Amino acid sequence: MRRVVLGFAVLVVLGVPGIARAVDLEGYWYVLVHYQDKATNKPEAWRWEDRVWRFHQTGDRLEWTDWPIVSLRDESGRFESLSGNRAARVIAAWEPNAEQLADIKDGLAANSRGEKTKKLRASGGGSGWESGDGAGADSALVITYSENWSISGLPEAPVFTREDSMGSASTESMEGRTQYRTEAVRDGGEELVGSFDRDGARTGRFRMIRSGEVGRAGTDSLEDRQRQGLMKRAVEAGYVTPEEVAAMMGGQVQLPSAAKGADREQARAAIHKAVEDAVKANGNDPSAVSSQIERITGKIERALFDQGKSIEDVQAMISRGEIGP
């Protein structure tokens, strides 16, 4: 199959005012939305939400997959603590920092909860795609829900629209529409920005960044990442010190000389055991914090093998809390 921009000929016009570079949507995209919600008690407050989209053309159809729950390695600035060890999005127009942006471009972890995929067919005389409406209810006793996803304005200024409706043959249907309208294309087509509108009640702006392939994360993994973000903010606010965190999660790690041996796989196993032993010594169950142990192990391994640090240097970094979960 010849190379296309989602089914349409590639159009690149350089140096001509008013003509934009064609947008190739194939692949993964991180979508960040800043919006204000008229239905809340603080309609003037800015809020945020994010998700990952994947577009993949198979034959004459386009697959659009949506992951509404994603997580970053560094969740700082995104969530605030609630009672009962819960977390909620901060009320703010959150923007990723440099480290988080690099994580996004590498590819995020996504929760399968809420994941949806639609197959779209060409529409608009070659300028868009559409999934089509679902079948309506033909009985007063049956309530149906359907979604229609569409993309128009290709190839220069795509508009992403998701319409949903619910009702039966005897009742008036409830309908909603969410639209992301591209107003500018940046970085050679690697970033789209524009307006966001959900039923006129939630309005704001969106930013769409090409990202790496999505990895999978279960609910526990996502919550674990959120807790890490809360812990990091606690450190930054001075509630606990980096040393306390390091002691809790392995600050007493004693690296064996084999940790910088010739065989990196064996060295990693030795580092992993040293971290586990430190966790046990601090009265914790290694199996309960296995993901943190893996992260610390990886950081120590990279410091030794990729950054050229000595065992003494890494040991000092652990003691200062510079290497932690």
Side-chain angles (χ1 to χ4, degrees), residues 247-317:
M248 178 182 69
M249 288 306 308
Q252 300 175 11
V253 175
Q254 296 299 314
L255 297 176
S257 58
K260 202 167 183 178
D263 189 327
R264 186 162 180 166
E265 185 175 347
Q266 290 182 349
R268 180 179 177 83
I271 295 168
H272 191 277
K273 184 178 185 304
V275 177
E276 275 196 338
D277 289 343
V279 171
K280 291 177 183 177
N282 287 323
N284 295 309
D285 178 7
S287 65
V289 288
S290 58
S291 60
Q292 288 94 331
I293 290 174
E294 287 295 330
R295 278 191 293 275
I296 294 174
T297 299
K299 290 179 181 179
I300 295 172
E301 178 189 2
R302 288 190 291 275
L304 290 173
F305 286 87
D306 300 332
Q307 300 170 17
K309 302 287 186 182
S310 67
I311 290 180
E312 291 74 21
D313 290 337
V314 174
Q315 197 72 60
M317 292 169 69

Side-chain angles (χ1 to χ4, degrees), residues 30-209:
Y30 172 76
V31 183
L32 174 63
V33 175
H34 294 157
Y35 68 92
Q36 294 173 307
D37 191 344
K38 296 178 181 177
T40 66
N41 58 2
K42 293 182 178 180
E44 76 287 351
W46 283 99
R47 304 168 189 271
W48 69 273
E49 64 181 34
D50 61 353
R51 59 205 322 119
V52 169
W53 289 344
R54 174 180 179 261
F55 300 99
H56 177 60
Q57 187 175 341
T58 56
D60 62 351
R61 295 298 179 96
L62 172 67
E63 284 190 356
W64 178 358
T65 301
D66 171 46
W67 288 275
I69 305 175
V70 296
S71 59
L72 283 71
R73 294 186 182 93
D74 174 13
E75 293 282 8
S76 59
R78 288 162 54 83
F79 299 93
E80 60 184 352
S81 180
L82 300 176
S83 60
N85 198 28
R86 295 177 298 136
R89 288 186 176 91
V90 297
I91 299 178
W94 170 81
E95 282 281 357
N97 58 35
E99 181 180 345
Q100 292 167 330
L101 187 59
D103 190 15
I104 288 168
K105 292 185 176 180
D106 285 342
L108 301 179
N111 197 307
S112 59
R113 189 175 69 216
E115 175 186 341
K116 292 182 180 179
T117 297
K118 288 277 190 180
K119 289 188 176 182
L120 286 64
R121 58 179 178 271
S123 65
S127 63
W129 297 87
E130 186 173 14
S131 66
D133 297 323
D138 56 6
S139 169
L141 301 178
V142 177
I143 296 177
T144 63
Y145 175 79
S146 64
E147 293 186 17
N148 180 33
W149 298 6
S150 63
I151 306 170
S152 60
L154 289 168
E156 295 97 347
V159 178
F160 308 90
T161 304
R162 296 174 56 165
E163 298 172 309
D164 52 80
S165 63
M166 181 173 66
S168 70
S170 65
T171 62
E172 186 175 337
S173 63
M174 298 174 61
E175 299 181 345
R177 186 180 77 159
T178 304
Q179 190 170 81
Y180 308 74
R181 181 177 294 274
T182 301
E183 297 174 347
V185 179
R186 301 172 179 171
D187 194 20
E190 299 296 284
E191 180 176 338
L192 312 180
V193 295
S195 63
F196 168 82
D197 186 296
R198 169 65 181 177
D199 297 335
R202 291 186 177 186
T203 57
R205 56 188 181 264
F206 81 95
R207 180 184 179 194
M208 189 166 157
I209 306 167

Side-chain angles (χ1 to χ4, degrees), residues 212-223:
E213 184 174 346
V214 159
R216 297 307 177 98
T219 303
D220 290 342
S221 176
L222 179 62
E223 292 174 350

